[in-house]
Amino acid sequence: MAGPLLGARLPHVLFGGDYSPEQWPEGVWEEDVRLMREAGVNIVSLGIFSWSRIQPSPDRFDFEWLDRVIELLHENDIRLDLATATASPPPWLSHRHPAMLPVLADGVRLWPGGRQHYCPSSPFYRDAAVALVTAMANRYGRHPALAMWHAGNEYGCHVPACYCDVSAAHFRRWLRERHGTLEELNRAWGTDFWSQRYSDWEEILPPRQTPTWPNPSQQLDYRRFCSDALLECYELERRVLAELSPGIPVTTNFMRFFKPLDYWKWADREDIVSDDVYQDPADPDAAMGSAMAADLMRSLGGGRPWILMEQTPSRVNWRPVNVAKAPGQMRLWSYQAVARGADGVMFFQWRQSRAGAEKFHSAMVPHGPPETSPTWREVVRLGRELREFDGVCGSRIHSAVAILHDWESWWALELPSKPTALLSHLPQLESYYRPLFEANVVPDFARPGDDLSAYSLVLAPSLYLVGDGAAAGLARYVDAGGTLVMSFFSGIVDEFEHVRLGGYPAPFRELLGLRVEDFLPLPQGETVDLVLGDRRGRGEIWSELVTPAGAETVARFSSGGLQGQPAVTRHRFGRGTAYYLATRPDGASMASILAEACRGAGVEAVASVPAGVEAVRRQGDDGSFLFLLNHADAGVEVPVGGQRVSLGPRDVAVVRETS
Ligand code: GAL
């Protein structure tokens, strides 16, 4: 067990939120810290959008107000997750250097007046950000209240890609690094298709708006580049912090399954993984979605605890209709994060803004008197309860199942001009995740090229793009006794988006014991019937003609042109088993296929509990914590270890189990 996330600096579950004192007169700060103490707040994210107050003009820094806030927090024993404040450049920067403003693929420039209006490649932005971080780190880098640094904020959230000339030049430098020669680039991008062969590096552009589909290999490289360009911005900040504020961990807040950034790469450069989670209370799948995000965050950090950096206490302001969390729902979803490995529960934001675009976004402290606010009462209750959870800090989750999730494959899969536009990555992931969530099997996420030997079962939902090494690794995994479940349209292209020839799915044919003769995607809204043993089901989105070559058929198509043909197969390969799904089975069918795979692989549920109850176990040094989360609107009795635990609607119990 690793011990608390922030060590002796803060040996408790982190509890707090984004704090924007610059939006309030100083008189309010005193009330802020009084209420923070009442709620058990032990850390705040400070200064995230304070650049224009910290540096009101190019050659003037004003730290005095920030000094006073920090001293006040310190006196009250509240630690700092101190922002580098680079997320929203001040008006003077873009006024002086309009070339730092980002440009969309169609040439439209984005103007200041919101936030995050910078081109990630802009030297003006980068230099100004480094100067600010240097000043911040010089001033506060060794402050006793400083517990961690918060670099930027939600990198790429509003501007994941810029297409300006500065970005174009940066892209060309990046391409030279990646491909070496122009000849290699022409090969990698398949430029003999549609007369796209380049004769000079200067001819190369980002995939700006074109008359029809831009080159897919170019688009894929641009996705990689954009993730890397933002990562360079983060790295520039991290380097300054490492030098001027040694030993203080650095994080930047992720956004669940955020497509533009390859978080595997990013997480490698973070000391702590943190995430922002905004479930829609009106979404019946909200709890599954946040469970899935939590499992991703834990996995990105290699199993280490992570921080729920932002969630809303109740309503957000950015959906067409901003439904409030039901009583108990904020507490329940906070515990869900802790159950799935978070050692910190934080909010956006501490005090509800009076002006600006987010004034109707709920906060821990509402516009009205806190005493009468049910949200505030729930915040205070949660803060008090979490004080009893020091023992949970550092404990781990042991998972026997891994779901493969790869950003590059996601990007490539969703490029246009595929057999069907109905196939996208997240619904594929969810079709695997949902039955596991409902059965209380807690999976990790893994990269296709990872060492998977610790897992009994590996799930590969449409791994469209795969490198040679990862493909060989999957075969070795099964050969050595692992169980693999793989979906259609896997192993189709290499890392350049070039089709792997010789019959689909070329790198997996032997492992799966079959060949795919043709893709037969289903028309929108149509399904195909399936027979799985003695049950019937439906396939969605996709079907294909599979010829077994060693695999046995465990389910067949039972309608349409593929009637009688294999829909699900199983193949013994070496000491292991590989399943193949030639369609996306409906939920119940998927649940039965995965239940069989779990049984075969010896994977068990965390606990046997009534439907609607989520059970997750965190393992500490001297015993474990069984989290029971009732997502239903009605109370329920849960039998555990010979006793019965009563849970009210949207209620939580944590059972200590000693080993
Ligand atoms: C996040 C952001 C916060 C706040 C919040 C509102 O995306 O990091 O600053 O805007 O959304 O839900």
Side-chain angles (χ1 to χ4, degrees), residues 118 120 125-126 155 228-237:
Y118 62 85
Y125 170 73
R126 288 182 172 201
Y155 278 95
D228 284 0
L230 279 164
L231 184 56
E232 280 177 19
C233 294
Y234 166 80
E235 283 281 329
L236 286 172
E237 298 197 2

Side-chain angles (χ1 to χ4, degrees), residues 49 115 153-154 253 276 278 310 316 318 348 358 361:
F49 298 106
R115 62 177 176 186
N153 190 66
E154 292 192 339
N253 41 347
D276 297 350
Y278 290 96
E310 289 182 22
V316 296
W318 39 264
F348 177 85
E358 297 187 314
H361 193 294

Side-chain angles (χ1 to χ4, degrees), residues 486-488 514 528-532 538-539 542-544 546 548 552-558 562 564-570 579-585 593:
M486 177 174 272
S487 281
F488 59 89
L514 53 79
V528 59
D529 294 341
L530 305 176
V531 180
L532 308 95
R538 277 170 301 104
W542 188 275
S543 65
E544 57 188 15
V546 171
E552 57 181 310
T553 299
V554 297
R556 292 184 188 279
F557 292 108
S558 57
L562 288 176
Q565 298 293 332
V568 180
T569 61
R570 183 174 49 213
Y579 288 84
Y580 184 70
L581 276 50
T583 183
R584 179 154 89 206
I593 294 164

Side-chain angles (χ1 to χ4, degrees), residues 104 106 149 170 176 180 182 193 204 240 325 366 504 527-528 545 557 573 575 646:
L104 302 178
D106 59 3
W149 284 103
H170 188 196
R176 276 178 190 263
L182 204 52
F193 180 82
I204 300 172
V240 174
K325 288 180 177 170
Y504 312 126
T527 57
V528 59
L545 179 58
F557 292 108
F573 182 77
R575 293 197 283 131
S646 296

Side-chain angles (χ1 to χ4, degrees), residues 495-614:
E495 59 268 45
F496 306 111
E497 248 272 296
H498 293 197
V499 169
R500 292 176 171 281
L501 300 177
Y504 312 126
F508 300 128
R509 280 198 319 264
E510 211 189 318
L511 160 66
L512 298 167
L514 53 79
R515 199 174 57 245
V516 174
E517 309 294 356
D518 203 4
F519 306 139
L520 303 162
L522 299 171
Q524 183 140 28
E526 281 189 24
T527 57
V528 59
D529 294 341
L530 305 176
V531 180
L532 308 95
D534 51 6
R535 60 187 313 285
R536 292 182 175 273
R538 277 170 301 104
E540 297 161 356
I541 296 208
W542 188 275
S543 65
E544 57 188 15
L545 179 58
V546 171
T547 305
E552 57 181 310
T553 299
V554 297
R556 292 184 188 279
F557 292 108
S558 57
S559 67
L562 288 176
Q563 195 158 6
Q565 298 293 332
V568 180
T569 61
R570 183 174 49 213
H571 186 226
R572 290 292 300 175
F573 182 77
R575 293 197 283 131
T577 305
Y579 288 84
Y580 184 70
L581 276 50
T583 183
R584 179 154 89 206
D586 65 276
S589 305
M590 195 65 182
S592 91
I593 294 164
L594 290 187
E596 184 195 308
C598 282
R599 261 194 312 278
V603 173
E604 285 177 4
V606 169
S608 168
V609 291
V613 175
E614 179 183 344

